[in-house]
């Protein structure tokens, strides 16, 4: 039941396909029976094939994002706020999800799964939505480093048809990277990203997911980059909590 390829269904009705199954070395006992633990990794079943290495290339022009997902083997019917992609290529031996991430970077947005739908949202719109929770601005690990940001967030440039340079965001000195066949808007989008600002542990809140906005008392709102929901059973009873990685738009 927990082997590779099996499908699990969450309480929210989402189907997850197991892509890795490990029988743990930890052993326990319950009554007269010995028990062993299983550790599994699962992906969203509707999109899991987009994370596998391709045996056939995918090359498309002016195709919708949903069409690219379907070409990569995903079974989703549509993407909320779908948009046309000027060029997309994933050659033999490539992984479609990596190339989809590059397309999203060029559009300045992300996709996230909620209420049974895959939704595209631009990064700026993440901070315009209604907050999913209000939390106190304490008990968190705060991260601030403009030094690291300038090393890790590059600026991009391209070439125009006449041979001149097309430049992206040059407001700060950063590493420069070349992006062929890209206009000014996409070059600027590619330097926008969510930068981690907080990591915090809160009471179990399974309704929170990546893409939700969190408000804080006396501080700017932050977006959830990753939400990990933990439910543990031990000798001292159950332990439930949610850990959030939160970011700001840079």
């Amino acid at each position: 039941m927990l082997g590779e390829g099996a499908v699990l269904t969450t309480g929210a009705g989402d189907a997850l396909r197991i892509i890795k199954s490990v029988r743990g070395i930890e052993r326990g006992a319950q009554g007269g029976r010995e028990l062993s633990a299983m550790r599994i990794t699962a992906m969203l079943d509707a999109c899991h094939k987009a994370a596998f290495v391709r045996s056939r290339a995918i090359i498309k022009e002016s195709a919708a994002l949903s069409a690219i997902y379907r070409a990569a083997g995903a079974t989703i019917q549509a993407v909320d706020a779908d948009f046309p992609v000027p060029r997309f290529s994933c050659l033999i031996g490539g992984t479609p999800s990596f190339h989809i991430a590059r397309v999203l970077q060029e559009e300045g947005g992300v996709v996230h799964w909620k209420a049974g739908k895959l939704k595209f949202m631009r990064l700026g719109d993440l901070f315009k939505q209604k907050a999913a929770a209000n939390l106190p601005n304490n008990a968190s690990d705060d991260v601030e480093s403009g030094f690291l940001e300038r090393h890790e967030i590059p600026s991009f440039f391209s070439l125009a048809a006449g041979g001149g340079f097309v430049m992206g965001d040059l407001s700060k000195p950063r590493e420069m990277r070349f992006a062929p066949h890209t206009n000014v808007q996409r070059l600027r989008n590619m330097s926008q990203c969510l930068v981690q600002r907080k990591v915090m542990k809160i009471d179990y809140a399974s309704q929170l997911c990546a893409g939700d906005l969190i408000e804080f008392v006396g501080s700017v709102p932050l977006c959830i980059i990753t939400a990990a929901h933990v439910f543990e059973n031990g000798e001292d009873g159950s332990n439930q909590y949610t850990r959030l990685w939160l970011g700001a738009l840079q």
Side-chain angles (χ1 to χ4, degrees):
M1 292 175 63
L2 296 179
E4 183 182 2
V7 177
L8 307 175
T9 303
T10 68
D14 295 325
L16 303 176
R17 184 173 294 270
I18 297 174
I19 61 167
K20 183 180 179 182
S21 182
V22 180
R23 186 176 295 279
I25 60 174
E26 302 88 357
R27 301 187 68 86
Q30 184 175 14
R33 295 189 304 164
E34 287 193 358
L35 304 176
S36 62
M38 296 288 293
R39 184 172 67 251
I40 63 172
T41 303
M43 292 182 176
L44 192 66
D45 187 42
C47 300
H48 81 280
K49 288 186 178 179
F52 282 72
V53 175
R54 293 287 300 177
S55 60
R56 298 178 62 185
I58 302 173
I59 299 176
K60 288 185 174 293
E61 289 193 9
S62 301
L65 180 64
S66 57
I68 292 172
Y69 268 101
R70 287 195 292 270
T75 57
I76 56 173
Q77 298 302 313
V79 176
D80 279 0
D82 212 347
F83 65 91
V85 178
R87 295 180 182 87
F88 180 85
S89 62
C90 177
L91 304 182
I92 294 174
T95 305
S97 58
F98 297 158
H99 299 277
I100 290 173
R102 184 179 63 187
V103 167
L104 297 174
Q105 182 186 12
E106 292 175 354
E107 293 295 327
V110 293
V111 289
H112 67 113
W113 182 269
K114 193 169 185 179
K117 291 184 178 181
L118 190 70
K119 184 175 184 179
F120 169 78
M121 290 188 70
R122 299 197 181 277
L123 292 175
D125 293 336
L126 290 172
F127 294 87
K128 296 177 182 177
Q129 62 183 331
K130 183 179 178 181
N134 290 273
L135 300 175
N137 191 21
N138 55 19
S140 63
D141 296 330
D142 293 358
V143 182
E144 292 283 350
S145 179
F147 173 82
L148 287 178
E149 289 172 21
R150 294 196 188 191
H151 278 271
E152 295 181 0
I153 304 175
S155 294
F156 294 87
F157 71 97
S158 188
L159 293 176
F165 286 109
V166 180
M167 310 303 293
D169 183 3
L170 301 180
S171 58
K172 296 179 181 179
R174 298 187 178 110
E175 176 189 354
M176 296 295 295
R177 294 184 186 176
F178 177 63
H181 310 295
T182 309
N183 59 29
V184 173
Q185 182 60 48
R186 285 191 167 86
L187 290 172
R188 296 186 67 86
N189 287 341
M190 291 169 71
S191 289
Q192 280 192 329
C193 64
L194 294 175
V195 176
Q196 181 180 308
R197 294 299 188 209
K198 286 181 181 290
V199 181
M200 64 189 311
K201 181 178 176 181
I202 63 173
D203 292 338
Y204 188 75
S206 60
Q207 75 279 7
L208 298 179
C209 65
D212 287 343
L213 188 67
I214 302 296
E215 286 189 342
F216 295 92
V217 177
S219 182
V220 297
L222 298 175
C223 182
I224 299 176
I225 299 174
T226 302
H229 307 294
V230 180
F231 187 99
E232 298 174 330
N233 280 322
E235 295 179 356
D236 300 327
S238 63
N239 181 26
Q240 305 175 49
Y241 63 90
T242 292
R243 187 179 298 276
L244 301 176
W245 286 259
L246 301 156
L249 181 60
Q250 176 65 44

